[in-house]
């Protein structure tokens, strides 16, 4: 479905944040992208969404395609229209807008009927957001804000949902709820998921396939259960040996 081939990404025309990365997300797959801070994971998601800025010296080489169609030269809104929706690290909500206004921003490319069906689906998935729909998003808890960020992406109607560090800073109960939701979206709707996570154990539990990125390169990839059994992964990422 999504294919990256020999992708290289530079910042300031010189700093190589991503070096020769090739990866795939198959239809209906949950794929985990793992690696330590600064490994290049966020940069890869930004390249897929096409939110890099060439005027600031951000350069992308290599190929990125969705179902065979080249995505590299498409504007970010067209990438969303084609079904790839990104939940960024740190959530990036509109803090002074209400929950419902934030969710509706995800529907900016959709008609009224699709928007209202999308809101209903999100409220079904996260009843807490329905209760809080008139609240200002900036005053919600971290977990509720993450639900809004995911809900906003779902309103856009993704075929492939990209989540950047959804568990970061959240309480264990909320992390479980978020991960159960991710699994349900995948199982019940066949939604493909590209999941960037610091918490490798958590990600490998839900993913079908995993990639480990170090210093901008893929150093290991394979079925999630095989990655979880790898001795180096156990030592460096899972905290056991
Ligand atoms: P994290 O989980 O901390 O976000 P990451 O694996 O997502 O880590 P990236 O954020 O993609 O890593 O960063 C990859 C490398 O690119 C790092 O060395 C980072 O310092 C550098 N980098 C990221 N954004 C920029 C930028 N706007 N300008 C210059 N260098 C950057």
């Amino acid at each position: 479905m999504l294919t990256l081939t020999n992708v290289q990404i530079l910042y300031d025309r010189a700093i190589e944040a991503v070096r020769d990365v090739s990866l795939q997300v198959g239809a209906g797959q949950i794929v985990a992208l793992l690696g330590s801070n600064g490994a290049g994971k966020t940069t890869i998601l930004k390249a897929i969404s096409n939110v890099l800025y060439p005027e600031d010296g951000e350069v992308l080489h290599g190929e990125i395609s969705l179902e065979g169609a080249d995505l590299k030269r498409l504007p970010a809104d067209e990438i969303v229209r084609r079904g790839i929706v990104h939940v960024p690290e740190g959530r990036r909500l509109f803090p002074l807008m209400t929950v419902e206004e934030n969710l509706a921003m995800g529907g900016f490319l959709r008609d009224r009927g699709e928007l209202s069906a999308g809101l209903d689906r999100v409220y079904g998935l996260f009843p807490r957001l329905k209760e809080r729909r008139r609240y200002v998003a900036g005053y919600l808890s971290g977990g509720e804000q993450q639900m809004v960020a995911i809900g906003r992406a779902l309103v856009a109607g993704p075929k492939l949902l990209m989540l950047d560090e959804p568990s970061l800073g959240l309480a264990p109960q909320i992390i479980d709820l978020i991960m159960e939701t991710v699994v349900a979206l995948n199982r019940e709707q066949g939604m493909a998921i590209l999941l960037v996570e610091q918490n490798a154990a958590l990600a490998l539990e839900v993913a079908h396939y995993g990639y480990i990125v170090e210093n901008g390169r893929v150093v290991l990839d394979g079925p999630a259960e095989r990655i979880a059994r790898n001795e180096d992964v156990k030592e460096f990422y899972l905290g056991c040996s």
Side-chain angles (χ1 to χ4, degrees):
M1 183 182 188
L2 176 76
T3 306
L4 274 64
T5 313
N6 306 122
V7 166
Q8 181 201 29
I9 303 161
L10 308 175
Y11 285 112
D12 301 326
R13 290 185 187 81
I15 304 162
E16 210 180 8
V18 173
R19 312 157 193 238
D20 199 25
V21 163
S22 296
L23 64 82
Q24 292 191 351
V25 182
Q29 249 189 348
I30 302 181
V31 173
L33 196 53
L34 309 173
S36 44
N37 263 340
K41 307 175 303 292
T42 295
T43 302
I44 292 170
L45 296 196
K46 285 183 176 171
I48 297 167
S49 292
N50 225 342
V51 292
L52 295 172
Y53 298 100
E55 61 274 22
D56 294 338
E58 299 179 0
V59 180
L60 168 62
H61 295 298
E63 299 308 320
I64 302 181
S65 65
L66 181 69
E67 288 156 352
D70 180 16
L71 296 184
K72 252 180 66 181
R73 282 162 204 85
L74 300 179
D77 61 330
E78 181 59 25
I79 307 271
V80 174
R81 210 172 265 121
R82 302 234 178 159
I84 301 182
V85 186
H86 188 161
V87 182
E89 189 173 10
R91 310 186 273 266
R92 305 284 177 89
L93 299 182
F94 301 98
L96 299 178
M97 289 166 58
T98 65
V99 166
E100 187 147 301
E101 285 165 348
N102 269 276
L103 294 174
M105 293 304 281
F108 75 102
L109 293 169
R110 317 209 79 189
D111 65 33
R112 282 173 80 97
E114 289 170 332
L115 173 60
S116 114
L119 288 174
D120 285 347
R121 268 200 307 276
V122 171
Y123 290 143
L125 215 49
F126 299 120
R128 183 107 59 112
L129 295 187
K130 187 165 189 185
E131 290 163 22
R132 301 241 188 285
R133 67 187 189 281
R134 309 261 172 257
Y135 284 47
V136 169
Y139 290 139
L140 300 181
S141 70
E144 290 165 345
Q145 291 193 17
Q146 187 60 264
M147 292 177 210
V148 177
I150 293 173
R152 180 178 59 185
L154 295 177
V155 169
K159 286 193 254 179
L160 168 62
L161 183 66
M162 301 199 297
L163 298 164
D164 197 348
E165 304 279 8
S167 76
L168 200 67
L170 302 185
Q173 266 180 328
I174 303 290
I175 295 177
D176 287 348
L177 172 68
I178 300 284
M179 288 300 157
E180 282 163 17
T181 304
V182 166
V183 169
L185 290 168
N186 173 258
R187 292 221 179 114
E188 289 161 22
Q189 300 177 29
M191 194 179 292
I193 315 270
L194 180 55
L195 173 64
V196 166
E197 255 299 333
Q198 288 271 334
N199 186 337
L202 187 71
L204 290 172
E205 244 174 64
V206 300
H208 302 110
Y209 201 88
Y211 291 86
I212 308 266
V213 184
E214 279 175 16
N215 293 320
R217 289 181 204 283
V218 173
V219 293
L220 183 70
D221 70 290
E225 60 274 20
R226 178 136 50 90
I227 301 259
R229 284 199 308 267
N230 178 284
E231 290 304 323
D232 290 338
V233 172
K234 280 190 191 170
E235 188 178 343
F236 295 115
Y237 295 102
L238 301 176
C240 55
S241 53

